[in-house]
Amino acid sequence: MSALEFNLCCPGDQDFELRLAAEVSSSGVTAVYGPSGSGKSTLLDCLAGLRRAGPGSEISFQGEAWQADSHFTPPWQRDIGYVFQDARLFPHLSVAQNLAYASSRSNNAMDSEQVIHWLDLEPLLRRSPEALSGGQKQRVAIGRALLSGPRLLLLDEPLANLDDQSSRQCLNYLQRLATELALPMLYVSHDMEEVSELADQLLLLDDGELVGHGSLLSLCSRLDTRLSHEEHAAAIALGKITGHDEEFQLTELELEGHTLYVNHLPQSVGQQRRVRIPARDVSICRERPHDSSILNILPVTLVEIEQSPGARVLLRLALGSQHLLARITRKSASRLDLKVGDEVYAQIKSAALLSEATDAL
């Protein structure tokens, strides 16, 4: 069920124009992904009411019109939480006062103690914003947005200005919130690895237009999107922990009836994990090798080949109901005489367990 529906036309600077229509789910995280200048922030500003979309544009949330014809709901009446790249905390207020300010202006505020617990803000409450690190400021900004009692949370590249460690920590907190809250979130980013860890759905933007919309798992493994043509293109698959090999410090994941070995994980058997498998780290062989240092060799079906006049070709491989990508040289594809429908083996050199980087072997 969709919570947010929009059909927008919004002119910008230097002949740029945002033109797109989509529906966003009533729960989970929808990532808005695309290169700089594709219209991601413009979209969020229109949805928040900070920018008025052009004539004929329509925005509705849970059946309530926010913009239609001459009607325009101002930002403060939309019950939206907005987290920007910079935290924008009130410098003259302590952390506790910043949070309290949001609660005081909301008719539907969340439990402040619960939000403080989720974001580990208790040690920061008496500090002033100037005494906080970048990551701490963003955690407070997220908490303040939640305590405003939003029905929709917008996050515009909230990790963009953070170092790797702070970014990792904030991402973990956002994952916790996505699990704990039945709150639809739109998350803008130009970092696909970041998006892969958090999003359920994707809106792919390019030059102001919507060029893809669907589930994260589906879009990441398709050949007709820009995702598969990026240098760090990777498929996302879902696996379940089925066992731990204590002797060799490995964990076994069940992936469509097959075993994928990764470095030892602390999680218990039965937990589901996302696996990111880079296209450049998948090779193809006709017969299963028996004397190889690569442990992860999975039987797959070649379902699509993207031909290219360049040195490399891109393959889409079916593994049960899920798909992998492989980027190999055109010469290798010719030597193996690969054709759609071939039953082959995918050798996986590395993978990453999302939310905890882990190499496959």
Side-chain angles (χ1 to χ4, degrees):
M1 183 177 74
S2 64
L4 177 67
E5 300 179 33
F6 52 86
N7 188 343
L8 299 177
C9 173
C10 186
D13 298 330
Q14 298 179 343
D15 298 326
F16 174 82
E17 189 171 54
L18 181 70
R19 285 184 173 273
L20 57 93
E23 298 182 3
V24 174
S25 174
S26 59
S27 62
V29 180
T30 299
V32 184
Y33 178 78
S36 296
S38 60
K40 304 185 297 297
S41 295
T42 300
L43 170 61
L44 259 60
D45 284 350
C46 288
L47 297 178
L50 301 179
R51 178 187 297 227
R52 188 162 187 159
S57 297
E58 297 181 348
I59 304 172
S60 65
F61 182 77
Q62 296 179 344
E64 174 187 327
W66 282 350
Q67 181 171 344
D69 300 323
S70 59
H71 173 75
F72 180 80
T73 302
W76 57 89
Q77 293 180 2
R78 298 192 183 195
D79 294 331
I80 283 178
Y82 205 140
V83 180
F84 300 88
Q85 286 187 29
D86 52 328
R88 304 191 184 187
L89 303 178
F90 297 120
H92 61 291
L93 300 181
S94 68
V95 168
Q97 290 169 328
N98 267 276
L99 298 176
Y101 177 83
S103 297
S104 68
R105 295 175 63 84
S106 171
N107 295 321
N108 188 35
M110 292 186 183
D111 184 284
S112 60
E113 290 186 5
Q114 185 66 75
V115 171
I116 289 168
H117 170 70
W118 281 334
L119 293 165
D120 290 333
L121 298 178
E122 179 65 36
L124 310 179
L125 292 178
R126 296 186 179 183
R127 297 190 195 178
S128 66
E130 65 180 11
L132 302 179
S133 68
Q136 290 169 338
K137 288 178 181 177
Q138 285 300 81
R139 282 159 51 197
V140 176
I142 294 166
R144 188 177 63 177
L146 291 176
L147 289 175
S148 69
R151 293 183 292 162
L152 174 67
L153 184 63
L154 307 179
L155 302 107
D156 190 2
E157 301 201 57
L159 311 185
N161 297 328
L162 305 183
D163 58 44
D164 289 344
Q165 182 178 358
S166 297
S167 177
R168 172 78 265 161
Q169 290 174 343
C170 277
L171 191 57
N172 288 339
Y173 287 114
L174 288 170
Q175 288 169 328
R176 177 189 294 181
L177 294 175
T179 301
E180 297 284 353
L181 299 174
L183 177 68
M185 305 182 193
L186 257 68
Y187 186 91
V188 162
S189 179
H190 63 272
D191 185 332
M192 193 60 212
E193 293 189 30
E194 181 182 303
V195 164
S196 298
E197 303 212 27
L198 190 62
D200 306 297
Q201 301 285 316
L202 280 180
L203 296 176
L204 300 178
L205 270 59
D206 195 3
D207 195 25
E209 296 184 353
L210 185 67
V211 295
H213 182 198
S215 74
L216 171 76
L217 271 63
S218 172
L219 287 176
C220 283
S221 64
R222 281 170 41 181
L223 302 190
D224 61 347
T225 72
R226 64 173 294 119
L227 299 178
S228 60
H229 297 90
E230 295 179 350
E231 185 60 30
H232 300 291
I236 310 296
L238 282 178
K240 184 170 66 175
I241 297 175
T242 55
H244 299 288
D245 186 333
E246 301 296 341
E247 179 182 359
F248 293 103
Q249 286 296 289
L250 300 175
T251 290
E252 300 173 6
L253 293 179
E254 186 271 327
L255 199 63
E256 297 289 332
H258 302 281
T259 298
L260 185 78
Y261 293 97
V262 298
N263 288 345
H264 191 273
L265 296 173
Q267 284 80 11
S268 58
V269 169
Q271 289 197 15
Q272 197 171 62
R273 297 295 301 269
R274 290 186 186 183
V275 189
R276 185 176 186 274
I277 303 176
R280 65 187 180 191
D281 289 340
V282 178
S283 60
I284 302 299
C285 48
R286 283 284 188 184
E287 297 182 1
R288 186 184 187 97
H290 298 287
D291 298 314
S292 173
S293 64
I294 297 177
L295 290 178
N296 293 311
I297 304 173
L298 307 180
V300 294
T301 303
L302 179 54
V303 294
E304 193 173 353
I305 304 175
E306 184 180 73
Q307 298 293 348
S308 167
R312 301 181 295 183
V313 297
L314 191 61
L315 312 178
R316 190 172 191 238
L317 311 166
L319 177 64
S321 63
Q322 303 190 65
H323 292 85
L324 308 179
L325 297 175
R327 184 181 286 138
I328 65 173
T329 64
R330 191 156 54 95
K331 183 172 183 177
S332 294
S334 176
R335 188 184 62 177
L336 292 171
D337 191 27
L338 294 177
K339 299 181 179 63
V340 170
D342 285 351
E343 303 291 334
V344 295
Y345 291 90
Q347 298 187 111
I348 301 173
K349 291 173 59 181
S350 72
L353 269 291
L354 296 178
S355 81
E356 268 186 81
T358 308
D359 288 335
L361 309 175

